[in-house]
Amino acid sequence: MNRLFRFLNVVFMRNLFRYFVNGLLIIAPIALTIFIVVAIIDWLDSMFDLGVPGLGILLMVVLLTVVGFIGSSFFVKPFFVVTERFLHKVPLVSIIYSSIKDLFDAFVGDNQKFNQPVMVKMAEDSDNYKLGFLTQDTLDTINIEDKVAVYFPHSYNFSGELFLVPKRNVTFLEVPSSEVMKFIVSGGVSKL
């Protein structure tokens, strides 16, 4: 009887632990997503703290839309060109500004860079491939004719590496770039 009680106790504890892990796998992604979204919204709202929750975000959306409208005006563009030239001449500011601007341009706007997903054979004598994004299809400006620039994002990170690879090793993929990015960043866990 004592052995049976211990056996049932062990089975109960294993099931209890399995149920706990199962619950964690269900709740953790939902809870973390909600936490991150609420934290971002709270942070954005606090930038224009007007005492009414959500009013700061609304003001920011209106302000950004107005600036975008004014910025696309023919008369204001020369002002932005002069301002950008000035920012490029200031030593430390130039590095910060151009890096941030290039990063934003890579993901949104008319000059998106991560819109052509590719699969690259990493070595001639290997069947290993890496997924990435073609960023430059010609490197004539640096006198390299047979290579292209491919950016390989890291999984579970906001970083990556740029490789110059032979054109013959690049296979263009007919898949939405957002799906390829999600696949890479998730470490191949999400479906492509």
Side-chain angles (χ1 to χ4, degrees):
M1 186 72 165
N2 201 12
R3 291 174 94 185
L4 180 63
F5 181 70
R6 278 190 295 192
F7 174 74
L8 291 174
N9 194 21
V10 168
V11 169
F12 175 75
M13 290 306 285
R14 281 187 190 157
N15 283 338
L16 191 64
F17 181 71
R18 187 170 49 110
Y19 294 148
F20 172 78
V21 170
N22 217 11
L24 183 67
L25 291 174
I26 292 169
I27 294 295
I30 295 169
L32 285 172
T33 301
I34 291 170
F35 175 77
I36 291 170
V37 168
V38 168
I40 289 171
I41 289 172
D42 193 37
W43 175 71
L44 289 172
D45 196 38
S46 69
M47 292 180 82
F48 293 104
D49 190 10
L50 302 173
V52 178
L55 199 56
I57 292 176
L58 181 63
L59 180 64
M60 186 178 297
V61 168
V62 169
L63 182 68
L64 289 173
T65 304
V66 168
V67 168
F69 174 73
I70 292 171
S72 61
S73 167
F74 176 74
F75 299 110
V76 180
K77 283 193 180 193
F79 170 74
F80 286 121
V81 170
V82 170
T83 304
E84 197 167 72
R85 283 185 190 154
F86 172 74
L87 291 172
H88 281 292
K89 289 182 180 180
V90 179
L92 182 61
V93 174
S94 170
I95 294 170
I96 296 169
Y97 174 75
S98 63
S99 299
I100 291 172
K101 184 166 180 7
D102 289 345
L103 180 67
F104 272 87
D105 284 345
F107 287 103
V108 292
D110 297 332
N111 301 323
Q112 290 182 15
K113 298 293 184 202
F114 299 129
N115 58 0
Q116 182 56 65
V118 294
M119 181 173 67
V120 178
K121 188 172 187 175
M122 295 311 293
E124 294 294 330
D125 59 341
S126 171
D127 283 335
N128 292 331
Y129 293 86
K130 253 182 135 169
L131 294 176
F133 297 91
L134 185 73
T135 56
Q136 297 287 329
D137 58 355
T138 177
L139 298 171
D140 295 338
T141 56
I142 55 175
N143 296 324
I144 300 176
E145 295 176 12
D146 64 333
K147 296 195 185 311
V148 295
V150 178
Y151 179 75
F152 297 103
H154 290 144
S155 298
Y156 297 105
N157 207 339
F158 291 104
S159 64
E161 296 178 287
L162 178 69
F163 282 70
L164 304 180
V165 298
K167 288 181 183 179
R168 67 182 177 279
N169 288 4
V170 176
T171 304
F172 292 90
L173 301 175
E174 296 299 323
V175 180
S177 57
S178 59
E179 293 298 314
V180 175
M181 182 66 86
K182 186 168 58 168
F183 182 77
I184 293 170
V185 171
S186 74
V189 174
S190 71
K191 292 187 179 178
L192 187 60

